[in-house]
Amino acid sequence: MSEQLDSAAYYHIAYDAHTIMNPLGDERFLFLAEQCGLTSSSRVLDIGSGNGWSSLLLCRRFGCCSVQVDVSSQWTARARALFEREQCADRTEIHCMDAAAFHLEQDAFDLVLCLGTAPVYGGFAPALSALQPVLREGGCIIVGEPSAEGPLPRRYREYLDEFGWEIFDAKTLLRIIDDCGLEALMTLRSTRDEWDRYMGLQWKAISDRRHAVPGDAQLREFAEWARDEQEAYLRFQRHWVDWNVFLLRALR
Ligand SMILES: C[S@@+](CC[C@H](N)C(=O)[O-])C[C@H]1O[C@@H](n2cnc3c(N)ncnc32)[C@H](O)[C@@H]1O
């Protein structure tokens, strides 16, 4: 992979066909959310909300309101259009900004979503520490985080090191949850099919764009990156890395 590759531009194309932008399927995500007792008066904070799909699922199922924060103007525009199309724009607030700079109101939310976005706060532990205080009494966090039981193959460790990606084992994730004053109520691990679907949609979206605009140098570079990612995924990630979505509640 090229160090100069514009990863924001890459993911803007790669997630073009996704609904939820992480490997857990809609119904399994909703199963976790159902455990939170959400109602039409509940408030949800969605950190790194992407195209708005997760917040929309909650709004449709429970009638709750959401506050979405995402740094990308492309994704916040998508999310606005989605909520308008579904005629529930009055059930959400969408902020286009760096979530790390978003003022976190204390004791204000019944559910916080942090799906694939812990890096916004510098990692899993600082994300949980930052988000725990915003929970109302009995409120929950749904957080997605990868894990891997080592030792990982040397080649894959080198690959992760190259991008500064740190993947903890499950024991370390649970210790961090404890240390942040939270308890794990449930965790769902993405199935192989969910992982494959999530990755495959990215590769196909990159290829589709390249076919639509032949000869574009950046798209050629993106296609080469996708090819590298395919190899890392099929050789290593698919076998070694779990995508966990935890349902957490504050210990009072
Ligand atoms: C993998 S997507 C996940 C989207 C959504 N949480 C989901 O699971 O469907 C990551 C999202 O985080 C957003 N993001 C990345 N860095 C961010 C930051 N510093 N502040 C806010 N959003 C950020 C990206 O724009 C992208 O929409």
Side-chain angles (χ1 to χ4, degrees), residues 10 26 242:
Y10 176 87
D26 292 2
D242 287 322

Side-chain angles (χ1 to χ4, degrees), residues 113-214:
L113 303 181
C114 182
L115 291 167
T117 52
V120 166
Y121 296 100
F124 192 61
L128 296 188
S129 298
L131 297 175
Q132 200 259 31
V134 314
L135 297 177
R136 286 176 173 162
E137 177 74 38
C140 292
I141 298 176
I142 294 181
V143 57
E145 183 71 12
S147 69
E149 304 305 315
L152 295 176
R154 183 177 54 79
R155 292 252 169 147
Y156 190 49
R157 272 201 330 268
E158 288 168 0
Y159 173 84
L160 294 174
D161 288 346
E162 193 184 335
F163 301 103
W165 290 335
E166 189 173 23
I167 301 181
F168 296 121
D169 60 17
K171 188 175 165 199
T172 305
L173 292 182
L174 280 173
R175 186 179 48 70
I176 293 170
I177 290 167
D178 288 344
D179 291 349
C180 290
L182 294 154
E183 59 179 336
L185 303 180
M186 288 190 179
T187 181
L188 293 183
R189 180 174 62 175
S190 290
T191 63
R192 173 81 57 96
D193 284 348
E194 285 172 324
W195 255 131
D196 286 355
R197 179 182 180 283
Y198 168 78
M199 296 302 294
L201 282 171
Q202 295 186 26
W203 303 331
K204 181 171 180 296
I206 295 287
S207 172
D208 285 350
R209 188 68 67 91
R210 194 177 175 203
H211 281 272
V213 192

Side-chain angles (χ1 to χ4, degrees), residues 219-237:
L219 289 173
R220 193 179 60 242
E221 190 189 9
F222 286 178
E224 284 164 10
W225 192 13
R227 174 64 181 77
D228 285 349
E229 287 229 303
Q230 280 178 346
E231 185 152 347
Y233 176 71
L234 292 172
R235 286 181 64 192
F236 304 117
Q237 184 175 317

